[in-house]
Amino acid sequence: MECGDDLIIARAEDTIKRCCTKNIPAFFGFLNEHECSIVQLYAKNKHCRFLLFGGYEGAERVIFAALPDWAEDTQFPITALTFEYKKEYSLNHRDFLGSLMALGITREKIGDIVVGEGRTVVFIHDDIAGFVVSQITKIGRVGVKITTGAPYDIQVDNKYEIITKTIASARLDCIVAAITNNSRTAATELIISGNVFTSGVENRSVSYTVKEGETLSVRKHGKYIIDSVANLTKKGRLRLECRRKI
């Protein structure tokens, strides 16, 4: 296990202990997909009640909430800030993240950044919301107006490349070879060197059977959503359908 994973587990343990000791909800995050999978597994092994939320349905970066027995739900410490600017200016995720981190804000305090045309919504920890509003008047060279709260019609503009391949089996090495346009040998090297993740968890098993609905991330190649692995021919060849986020 990587040192980073050890730190994540230690912080999850502290969060759960804080919840049990004070008998109140305790929070940890924002977490990325890999961190979230580690924390979920640890919490389940500890038989801890928990919730995950990132400020809106489908958020990629989420906060982990450890819940005491009396709590059915909880208010997450998340504030949505809406940045408005002239539509002729094209700002991206990196522009906003860079401006926030230039203030000394750590990545853990920043959730999803949903970029739109002339409007971007940033989800952040409650405890830095006032600071951000007071400090930022521009993103790069573009003037912005910040209001607290997110619009009801918030939309995540995810764009995907559709990939269809014929494969011999649903083994991880077969699928990695197909989606990266590499040989099985090269795919095996990627897997055993720790460069492949299934549903956010590092997976070094070349014979692992990939399931429909799983996400598959390959370093330097991208993130894929496995939509379908279905029989195609009488000889047992399979048709792989997946999406790569672009």
Side-chain angles (χ1 to χ4, degrees), residues 71-136:
E72 293 297 326
D73 202 349
T74 188
Q75 181 69 39
F76 281 76
I78 300 172
T79 295
L81 296 180
T82 298
F83 294 71
E84 294 184 285
Y85 43 95
K86 292 182 179 179
K87 291 183 178 181
E88 57 262 34
Y89 293 110
S90 178
L91 294 174
N92 59 38
H93 184 281
R94 183 177 296 178
D95 294 327
F96 285 90
L97 183 60
S99 293
L100 291 167
M101 297 188 74
L103 295 175
I105 298 171
T106 61
R107 189 66 180 94
E108 182 185 324
K109 293 288 186 177
I110 308 167
D112 280 10
I113 299 172
V114 184
V115 180
E117 185 177 348
R119 182 180 69 189
T120 292
V121 181
V122 180
F123 294 88
I124 60 175
H125 263 272
D126 285 348
D127 56 8
I128 64 167
F131 175 67
V132 171
V133 172
S134 69
Q135 294 296 312
I136 291 184

Side-chain angles (χ1 to χ4, degrees), residues 170-172 175 205-211 214:
R171 282 171 48 117
L172 185 59
I175 290 184
S205 172
V206 295
S207 61
Y208 174 81
T209 300
V210 178
K211 304 171 188 64
E214 279 192 304

Side-chain angles (χ1 to χ4, degrees), residues 205-233:
S205 172
V206 295
S207 61
Y208 174 81
T209 300
V210 178
K211 304 171 188 64
E212 293 182 356
E214 279 192 304
T215 59
L216 182 61
S217 300
V218 184
R219 283 193 180 126
K220 297 184 179 180
H221 290 275
K223 181 176 180 180
Y224 304 79
I225 300 172
I226 307 302
D227 290 319
S228 175
V229 182
N231 288 327
L232 180 63
T233 69

Side-chain angles (χ1 to χ4, degrees), residues 154-200:
I154 184 170
Q155 301 263 337
V156 181
D157 186 20
N158 286 331
K159 296 180 180 179
Y160 296 95
E161 173 191 5
I162 306 300
I163 298 172
T164 302
K165 297 282 186 175
T166 301
I167 55 177
S169 81
R171 282 171 48 117
L172 185 59
D173 56 348
C174 285
I175 290 184
V176 170
I179 62 181
T180 62
N181 294 313
N182 272 317
S183 66
R184 288 274 291 277
T185 300
T188 296
E189 290 176 356
L190 283 171
I191 295 166
I192 64 177
S193 60
N195 288 297
V196 176
F197 300 80
T198 51
S199 297

Side-chain angles (χ1 to χ4, degrees), residues 41-56:
L41 181 60
Y42 180 80
K44 288 176 181 177
N45 288 338
K46 292 295 182 179
H47 305 290
C48 171
R49 298 176 63 244
F50 65 91
L51 291 173
L52 298 162
F53 186 57
Y56 69 102

Side-chain angles (χ1 to χ4, degrees), residues 29-46:
F30 290 92
L31 306 171
N32 62 31
E33 182 184 26
H34 175 61
E35 293 165 341
C36 185
S37 66
I38 293 171
V39 172
Q40 284 188 83
L41 181 60
Y42 180 80
K44 288 176 181 177
N45 288 338
K46 292 295 182 179

